[in-house]
Amino acid sequence: MKRFFPIVILLCLMLIAFVISIGCSIITGSTPTREITTTTTLQPTKTSPVTTSSIRVEDIKIIVEPCDNDPEGDISFDNLTVEGGFLDRDYYPLSASPELAKVGSPCFLVSGNITNKSDKQYWVAYFARGYDKSGNIVSRTLDTGPIIGIAVKGFNGKSTESFVLHSIWSENVSVFNIRSQKSTIPPP
């Protein structure tokens, strides 16, 4: 138990720094470094609750914030898309109503590749938030690992991994913001 204590403390400190950096960027209105317009279209089915949707998924933009703790620029996100889809399993609903996180519910699938350009092994924590035109959060990542709403992947040096984030469906999403943080210490 004692040998895991420093790792748990470090992860808690990283999470606090990550949350503070998110809050600071929202308060200061800092602008992201890269903006991508998606070209993927929603392919609803007859039974899909999104068939009457007025949202055009191809108009949703993806903004990638620089990876926290990465002044070298070792971590990058590429080939990003947003698609309409359905949840493949039940997810813990965060602050959303529970019916939004049940298997078969409509969702956004934010996907792409994460590349580690360094020779070092890193763990990358990442998530996506959907914002409306007024800047309000209207969609959040449902995936977990080990923290609800934040996915984590391990990367060997000079490697690329694909990812898919499941986010709550909202008619009002106009932009997804991807945030990430790297660490050499694996999660508990």
Side-chain angles (χ1 to χ4, degrees), residues 93-145:
L94 292 162
S95 60
S97 57
E99 64 273 5
L100 292 178
K102 296 289 184 191
V103 64
S105 296
C107 69
F108 288 107
L109 303 171
V110 180
S111 62
N113 295 323
I114 305 173
T115 300
N116 175 9
K117 300 174 203 166
S118 169
D119 291 326
K120 296 179 184 177
Q121 181 179 12
Y122 286 116
W123 292 88
V124 178
Y126 57 99
F127 65 90
R129 285 196 181 139
Y131 294 87
D132 63 14
K133 291 180 180 177
S134 299
N136 299 310
I137 298 172
V138 293
S139 179
R140 298 173 188 256
T141 298
L142 293 167
D143 302 275
T144 61

Coordinates of all heavy atoms in Angstrom, one line a residue, residues 93-145:
P93 N -22.8 8.3 -16.0 CA -23.3 9.5 -16.7 C -22.7 10.9 -16.2 O -23.1 11.9 -16.7 CB -24.8 9.5 -16.3 CG -24.8 8.8 -15.0 CD -23.7 7.8 -15.0
L94 N -21.7 10.9 -15.4 CA -21.2 12.2 -14.9 C -22.3 13.0 -14.4 O -23.1 12.6 -13.6 CB -20.4 12.9 -16.0 CG -19.1 12.3 -16.5 CD1 -18.7 12.9 -17.9 CD2 -18.0 12.6 -15.5
S95 N -22.4 14.3 -14.8 CA -23.5 15.1 -14.3 C -24.7 15.1 -15.2 O -25.7 15.7 -15.0 CB -23.0 16.6 -14.2 OG -22.6 17.0 -15.5
A96 N -24.7 14.3 -16.3 CA -25.8 14.2 -17.2 C -26.9 13.3 -16.6 O -26.6 12.5 -15.7 CB -25.3 13.6 -18.6
S97 N -28.0 13.4 -17.2 CA -29.1 12.5 -16.7 C -28.7 11.0 -17.1 O -28.2 10.8 -18.2 CB -30.4 12.9 -17.3 OG -30.4 12.9 -18.7
P98 N -29.0 10.1 -16.3 CA -28.6 8.7 -16.6 C -29.1 8.1 -17.9 O -28.4 7.3 -18.5 CB -29.3 7.9 -15.4 CG -29.5 8.9 -14.3 CD -29.7 10.2 -15.0
E99 N -30.2 8.6 -18.4 CA -30.7 8.0 -19.7 C -29.8 8.4 -20.9 O -29.8 7.7 -21.9 CB -32.1 8.4 -20.0 CG -32.4 9.9 -20.2 CD -32.6 10.6 -18.9 OE1 -32.6 10.1 -17.8 OE2 -32.9 11.8 -19.0
L100 N -29.0 9.4 -20.7 CA -28.0 9.8 -21.8 C -26.8 8.9 -21.9 O -26.1 8.9 -22.8 CB -27.6 11.2 -21.6 CG -28.6 12.3 -21.7 CD1 -27.9 13.7 -21.4 CD2 -29.2 12.3 -23.1
A101 N -26.6 8.0 -20.9 CA -25.4 7.2 -20.9 C -25.7 5.7 -21.0 O -24.9 4.9 -20.6 CB -24.6 7.5 -19.6
K102 N -26.9 5.3 -21.5 CA -27.3 3.9 -21.6 C -26.9 3.4 -23.0 O -26.9 4.2 -24.0 CB -28.8 3.8 -21.4 CG -29.3 4.2 -20.0 CD -28.8 3.1 -19.0 CE -29.4 3.4 -17.7 NZ -28.8 2.6 -16.6
V103 N -26.6 2.1 -23.1 CA -26.3 1.5 -24.4 C -27.4 1.8 -25.4 O -28.6 1.8 -25.1 CB -26.1 0.0 -24.2 CG1 -27.4 -0.7 -23.8 CG2 -25.6 -0.7 -25.5
G104 N -27.0 2.2 -26.6 CA -28.0 2.5 -27.7 C -28.3 4.0 -27.7 O -29.0 4.4 -28.7
S105 N -28.0 4.8 -26.7 CA -28.3 6.2 -26.8 C -27.4 6.9 -27.8 O -26.3 6.5 -28.1 CB -28.0 6.8 -25.4 OG -28.8 6.3 -24.4
P106 N -28.0 7.9 -28.5 CA -27.1 8.6 -29.5 C -25.9 9.3 -28.8 O -26.0 9.7 -27.6 CB -28.1 9.6 -30.1 CG -29.2 9.8 -29.1 CD -29.3 8.5 -28.3
C107 N -24.8 9.4 -29.5 CA -23.6 10.0 -29.0 C -22.8 10.6 -30.1 O -23.1 10.3 -31.3 CB -22.8 9.0 -28.1 SG -22.0 7.7 -29.1
F108 N -21.8 11.3 -29.7 CA -20.8 11.8 -30.7 C -19.6 10.8 -30.5 O -19.2 10.4 -29.4 CB -20.3 13.2 -30.4 CG -21.3 14.2 -30.7 CD1 -22.0 14.9 -29.7 CD2 -21.6 14.6 -32.1 CE1 -22.9 15.9 -30.0 CE2 -22.5 15.5 -32.4 CZ -23.1 16.2 -31.4
L109 N -19.0 10.5 -31.6 CA -17.7 9.7 -31.6 C -16.6 10.6 -32.1 O -16.6 10.9 -33.3 CB -17.9 8.4 -32.5 CG -19.0 7.5 -32.2 CD1 -19.2 6.4 -33.3 CD2 -18.8 6.9 -30.8
V110 N -15.8 11.0 -31.2 CA -14.6 11.9 -31.5 C -13.4 10.9 -31.7 O -13.1 10.3 -30.7 CB -14.4 12.9 -30.5 CG1 -13.2 13.8 -30.8 CG2 -15.6 13.8 -30.3
S111 N -12.8 10.9 -32.8 CA -11.8 9.9 -33.0 C -10.6 10.5 -33.8 O -10.7 11.6 -34.4 CB -12.3 8.7 -33.8 OG -12.8 9.0 -35.1
G112 N -9.5 9.7 -33.8 CA -8.3 10.1 -34.5 C -7.1 9.3 -34.0 O -7.2 8.2 -33.5
N113 N -5.9 9.9 -34.2 CA -4.7 9.3 -33.8 C -3.9 10.2 -32.8 O -3.9 11.4 -32.9 CB -3.8 9.0 -35.0 CG -4.4 8.0 -36.0 OD1 -5.0 7.1 -35.6 ND2 -4.1 8.3 -37.2
I114 N -3.2 9.5 -31.9 CA -2.3 10.2 -31.0 C -0.9 9.7 -31.3 O -0.7 8.5 -31.3 CB -2.7 10.0 -29.5 CG1 -4.1 10.3 -29.2 CG2 -1.7 10.8 -28.6 CD1 -4.6 10.0 -27.8
T115 N 0.0 10.6 -31.4 CA 1.4 10.2 -31.8 C 2.3 10.7 -30.7 O 2.3 11.8 -30.2 CB 1.8 10.8 -33.1 OG1 0.9 10.3 -34.1 CG2 3.2 10.4 -33.5
N116 N 3.2 9.7 -30.2 CA 4.3 10.1 -29.3 C 5.6 10.2 -30.2 O 6.1 9.1 -30.7 CB 4.5 9.0 -28.3 CG 5.7 9.2 -27.4 OD1 6.3 10.3 -27.4 ND2 6.0 8.2 -26.6
K117 N 6.1 11.4 -30.4 CA 7.3 11.6 -31.3 C 8.6 11.3 -30.5 O 9.6 11.3 -31.1 CB 7.2 13.0 -31.8 CG 6.0 13.3 -32.7 CD 6.0 14.8 -33.0 CE 4.6 15.2 -33.3 NZ 4.5 16.6 -33.4
S118 N 8.5 11.2 -29.2 CA 9.7 11.0 -28.4 C 10.2 9.6 -28.4 O 9.4 8.7 -28.7 CB 9.4 11.5 -27.0 OG 10.4 11.1 -26.1
D119 N 11.4 9.3 -27.9 CA 11.9 8.0 -27.7 C 11.4 7.5 -26.3 O 11.5 6.3 -26.1 CB 13.4 8.0 -27.7 CG 14.0 8.2 -29.1 OD1 13.3 7.8 -30.1 OD2 15.0 8.9 -29.2
K120 N 10.9 8.3 -25.5 CA 10.5 8.0 -24.1 C 9.1 7.3 -24.2 O 8.3 7.6 -25.0 CB 10.4 9.2 -23.2 CG 11.8 9.8 -23.0 CD 11.6 11.0 -22.1 CE 12.9 11.8 -21.9 NZ 12.7 13.0 -21.1
Q121 N 8.8 6.5 -23.1 CA 7.5 6.0 -23.0 C 6.6 7.0 -22.2 O 7.1 7.5 -21.1 CB 7.5 4.6 -22.2 CG 6.1 4.0 -22.0 CD 6.2 2.7 -21.3 OE1 7.2 2.3 -20.8 NE2 5.1 1.9 -21.4
Y122 N 5.4 7.2 -22.6 CA 4.5 8.2 -21.9 C 3.1 7.6 -21.8 O 2.7 6.7 -22.5 CB 4.4 9.5 -22.7 CG 5.5 10.4 -22.7 CD1 6.2 10.7 -23.9 CD2 6.0 11.0 -21.5 CE1 7.3 11.5 -23.9 CE2 7.1 11.8 -21.5 CZ 7.7 12.1 -22.7 OH 8.8 12.9 -22.7
W123 N 2.5 8.1 -20.7 CA 1.0 7.8 -20.6 C 0.4 9.2 -20.9 O 0.8 10.2 -20.4 CB 0.7 7.4 -19.1 CG 1.3 6.1 -18.8 CD1 2.5 5.8 -18.4 CD2 0.6 4.8 -19.0 NE1 2.7 4.4 -18.3 CE2 1.5 3.8 -18.7 CE3 -0.6 4.5 -19.5 CZ2 1.2 2.5 -18.8 CZ3 -1.0 3.1 -19.6 CH2 -0.1 2.2 -19.2
V124 N -0.7 9.1 -21.7 CA -1.4 10.4 -22.1 C -2.9 10.3 -21.6 O -3.6 9.3 -21.9 CB -1.3 10.6 -23.6 CG1 -2.1 11.8 -24.0 CG2 0.1 10.7 -24.1
A125 N -3.3 11.2 -20.8 CA -4.6 11.4 -20.4 C -5.3 12.4 -21.3 O -4.7 13.4 -21.6 CB -4.7 11.8 -18.9
Y126 N -6.5 12.1 -21.8 CA -7.1 13.0 -22.8 C -8.6 13.0 -22.7 O -9.2 12.0 -22.2 CB -6.7 12.7 -24.2 CG -6.9 11.3 -24.6 CD1 -8.0 11.0 -25.4 CD2 -6.1 10.3 -24.2 CE1 -8.3 9.7 -25.8 CE2 -6.3 9.0 -24.6 CZ -7.4 8.7 -25.4 OH -7.6 7.4 -25.7
F127 N -9.3 14.0 -23.1 CA -10.8 14.1 -23.1 C -11.2 15.1 -24.1 O -10.4 15.9 -24.5 CB -11.3 14.3 -21.7 CG -11.0 15.7 -21.2 CD1 -11.8 16.8 -21.4 CD2 -9.8 15.9 -20.4 CE1 -11.5 18.0 -20.9 CE2 -9.5 17.1 -19.9 CZ -10.4 18.2 -20.1
A128 N -12.5 15.1 -24.4 CA -13.1 16.1 -25.3 C -14.3 16.7 -24.6 O -15.1 16.0 -23.9 CB -13.5 15.4 -26.6
R129 N -14.5 18.0 -24.8 CA -15.7 18.6 -24.3 C -16.3 19.3 -25.5 O -15.6 20.0 -26.3 CB -15.3 19.7 -23.3 CG -15.0 19.0 -22.0 CD -15.1 20.1 -20.8 NE -14.8 19.4 -19.6 CZ -14.0 19.9 -18.7 NH1 -13.5 21.1 -18.8 NH2 -13.8 19.3 -17.6
G130 N -17.6 19.2 -25.6 CA -18.4 19.9 -26.6 C -19.0 21.2 -26.1 O -19.5 21.3 -25.0
Y131 N -18.8 22.3 -26.9 CA -19.3 23.6 -26.5 C -20.3 24.1 -27.5 O -20.2 23.8 -28.7 CB -18.1 24.6 -26.5 CG -17.1 24.3 -25.4 CD1 -16.1 23.5 -25.7 CD2 -17.2 24.9 -24.1 CE1 -15.1 23.2 -24.7 CE2 -16.3 24.6 -23.2 CZ -15.2 23.8 -23.4 OH -14.3 23.5 -22.5
D132 N -21.3 24.9 -27.0 CA -22.2 25.5 -27.9 C -21.6 26.9 -28.4 O -20.5 27.2 -28.0 CB -23.6 25.7 -27.3 CG -23.6 26.6 -26.1 OD1 -22.6 27.4 -25.8 OD2 -24.6 26.6 -25.3
K133 N -22.4 27.6 -29.2 CA -21.9 28.9 -29.7 C -21.6 29.9 -28.7 O -20.9 30.9 -28.9 CB -22.8 29.4 -30.8 CG -22.8 28.5 -32.0 CD -23.7 29.0 -33.1 CE -23.6 28.1 -34.3 NZ -24.5 28.4 -35.3
S134 N -22.2 29.8 -27.5 CA -22.0 30.8 -26.4 C -20.9 30.4 -25.5 O -20.6 31.1 -24.5 CB -23.3 30.9 -25.6 OG -24.4 31.3 -26.3
G135 N -20.2 29.2 -25.8 CA -19.1 28.8 -24.9 C -19.5 27.9 -23.8 O -18.7 27.6 -22.9
N136 N -20.8 27.5 -23.7 CA -21.2 26.6 -22.6 C -20.9 25.1 -22.9 O -21.0 24.7 -24.1 CB -22.7 26.7 -22.4 CG -23.1 28.1 -22.0 OD1 -22.6 28.7 -21.1 ND2 -24.1 28.7 -22.8
I137 N -20.5 24.4 -21.9 CA -20.2 22.9 -22.1 C -21.6 22.2 -22.3 O -22.4 22.3 -21.4 CB -19.4 22.4 -21.0 CG1 -18.0 23.0 -20.9 CG2 -19.3 20.9 -21.1 CD1 -17.3 22.6 -19.6
V138 N -21.8 21.5 -23.4 CA -23.0 20.8 -23.6 C -22.8 19.3 -23.9 O -23.7 18.6 -24.1 CB -23.8 21.5 -24.8 CG1 -24.3 22.8 -24.4 CG2 -23.0 21.5 -26.1
S139 N -21.5 18.9 -24.0 CA -21.2 17.5 -24.2 C -19.8 17.2 -23.5 O -18.9 18.0 -23.6 CB -21.1 17.2 -25.7 OG -20.8 15.9 -26.0
R140 N -19.7 16.0 -23.0 CA -18.5 15.6 -22.3 C -18.2 14.2 -22.6 O -19.1 13.4 -23.0 CB -18.7 15.7 -20.8 CG -19.0 17.0 -20.2 CD -19.3 16.9 -18.7 NE -19.8 18.2 -18.2 CZ -19.1 19.0 -17.5 NH1 -17.9 18.7 -17.2 NH2 -19.6 20.1 -17.0
T141 N -16.9 13.9 -22.5 CA -16.4 12.5 -22.7 C -17.0 11.6 -21.6 O -17.0 11.9 -20.5 CB -14.9 12.4 -22.7 OG1 -14.4 13.2 -23.7 CG2 -14.4 11.0 -22.8
L142 N -17.5 10.4 -22.0 CA -18.1 9.5 -21.1 C -17.1 8.4 -20.7 O -17.2 7.7 -19.7 CB -19.3 8.8 -21.7 CG -20.5 9.7 -21.9 CD1 -21.6 9.1 -22.7 CD2 -21.1 10.1 -20.5
D143 N -16.0 8.2 -21.6 CA -15.0 7.1 -21.3 C -14.3 7.3 -20.0 O -14.2 8.5 -19.5 CB -14.0 7.1 -22.5 CG -14.7 6.9 -23.8 OD1 -15.0 5.7 -24.1 OD2 -15.0 7.9 -24.5
T144 N -13.8 6.3 -19.4 CA -13.1 6.3 -18.2 C -11.8 5.6 -18.2 O -11.6 4.6 -19.0 CB -13.9 5.7 -17.0 OG1 -14.1 4.4 -17.3 CG2 -15.2 6.4 -16.8
G145 N -10.8 6.1 -17.4 CA -9.6 5.3 -17.3 C -8.5 6.1 -16.7 O -7.8 6.8 -17.4

